Amino acid sequence: MRSADDADFGVTWLMGMFHEDWSHHGPAAADAAGYHLWDGLDPESVLAVLRDARLLLRLPSETIEALWVAGTANGPSFFSGGRTGVTSGTGWMETLTGLCDTWLTRHAQATASGLSDTVPAEWDGVELADAVLAEIAEDRVVPEEVGAALAACVRVCTPDLAFRLLLRAMIEIGTRSGATLSPEHYERLAALGSALHYGEFVVSEVRHLVK
């Protein structure tokens, strides 16, 4: 299973926690992430964050930054140091992998060598790469530069991760800009989510944009 409650998972789940009030959970970004990676979390959830962060480390730092900023409510200032303590996309993903590794060690759970057994290969959606790239190309909610970063994620990471990042960006950018989706567009997104074996509350997060 991807998540216990059929909701989002991995790095995109964690991105949803970085709203305007994220600092209520810690003075720096690493502290806030650690707050959400609490001891009662199930190991599969931690492994999902770890796996996504490792995949994102395949990308250039500026691409990671573009994807993180698009899918959170913090803006480019997140990577300016200051209160976040974060200065680069690469450094931030390394911080997240470190937090996850520490959690897994502390709880004596699965290690990195067990990741391939934990995540079925079909969940990566390799066979859906063209379909995800087409959705990114046709999307009119996210800016062009974010679309380019998402396309790179499809090719270098996995279509699954890129699609979840697209949904996160649509949630954040679409809500702020007042963008709308047609029912047909939403049905295409839902069909991709079903093909990727998502729970019912992943794609539905953008349903409020449908007009």
Side-chain angles (χ1 to χ4, degrees):
M1 76 184 160
R2 290 181 178 274
S3 65
D5 57 1
D6 284 339
D8 201 2
F9 55 93
V11 160
T12 48
W13 160 76
L14 189 62
M15 290 169 78
M17 306 301 178
F18 279 85
H19 41 68
E20 291 88 346
D21 298 327
W22 68 264
S23 59
H24 290 177
H25 300 303
D31 300 307
Y35 171 87
H36 295 294
L37 294 168
W38 65 298
D39 282 340
L41 203 61
D42 61 282
E44 290 82 4
S45 295
V46 179
L47 283 166
V49 175
L50 176 60
R51 187 169 189 270
D52 281 356
R54 285 179 169 168
L55 286 170
L56 286 168
L57 281 170
R58 299 176 182 178
L59 295 168
S61 188
E62 59 270 21
T63 305
I64 300 171
E65 292 162 25
L67 293 170
W68 183 269
V69 169
T72 61
N74 308 129
S77 62
F78 186 88
F79 293 100
S80 64
R83 67 172 184 159
T84 67
V86 181
T87 58
S88 74
T90 297
W92 181 225
M93 289 304 110
E94 289 173 344
T95 295
L96 294 184
T97 59
L99 288 169
C100 292
D101 282 336
T102 298
W103 191 102
L104 292 165
T105 299
R106 187 168 67 246
H107 293 272
Q109 294 293 344
T111 61
S113 62
L115 283 175
S116 60
D117 296 327
T118 303
V119 182
E122 62 268 24
W123 286 6
D124 285 343
V126 175
E127 73 285 358
L128 298 170
D130 289 343
V132 175
L133 284 169
E135 282 302 327
I136 293 168
E138 294 175 20
D139 179 74
R140 296 297 178 266
V141 176
V142 304
E144 184 176 341
E145 62 272 18
V146 177
L150 289 165
C153 187
V154 173
R155 299 184 179 100
V156 178
C157 303
T158 64
D160 156 54
L161 177 54
F163 185 59
R164 283 186 284 118
L165 287 165
L166 171 63
L167 294 173
R168 277 294 331 155
M170 292 173 74
I171 292 166
E172 292 294 336
I173 297 172
T175 301
R176 290 197 301 269
S177 67
T180 61
L181 300 177
S182 68
E184 295 76 16
H185 189 173
Y186 179 79
E187 287 304 315
R188 290 201 313 271
L189 297 175
L192 268 176
S194 178
L196 286 161
H197 309 281
Y198 293 165
E200 64 175 310
F201 304 120
V202 180
V203 178
S204 64
E205 286 294 306
V206 301
R207 186 181 289 158
H208 68 284
L209 300 177
V210 177
K211 302 295 181 185

